[in-house]
Amino acid sequence: MSAMAHEPSAQEEVLLEGFLDLGTPEGFRAELIEEEIVVTGPPDGEHEDYISLIVEQVFAQSATRMQFSGHKGAGPRATGCMYATT
């Protein structure tokens, strides 16, 4: 079976160009999903509260000392370990 190269259509090129030129405000996230630009605002305070409750429960049950960063997630204190993102 051979793969064929996909030549982007003019509409796809315009969409991609518009997406790349999009001036997304600080804290917002822009994604190109199935030929649609989706802009998502930053999480609200409730999101952080729920994450905090979950992190407290995980830490309480963990035999390993852990640390948490809202932007990196949770993981063991050792350097170079993987982090679970939030």
Side-chain angles (χ1 to χ4, degrees), residues 18-63:
F19 176 72
L20 295 174
D21 290 339
L22 188 64
T24 307
E26 185 73 28
F28 284 72
R29 179 176 64 203
E31 299 175 278
L32 186 56
I33 302 172
E34 295 182 15
E35 299 181 8
E36 214 175 290
I37 296 175
V38 179
V39 178
T40 308
D44 61 7
E46 285 186 3
H47 177 266
E48 291 297 322
D49 290 341
Y50 296 143
I51 295 297
S52 178
L53 292 170
I54 293 168
V55 167
E56 287 177 24
Q57 292 177 26
V58 170
F59 287 0
Q61 299 298 319
S62 176

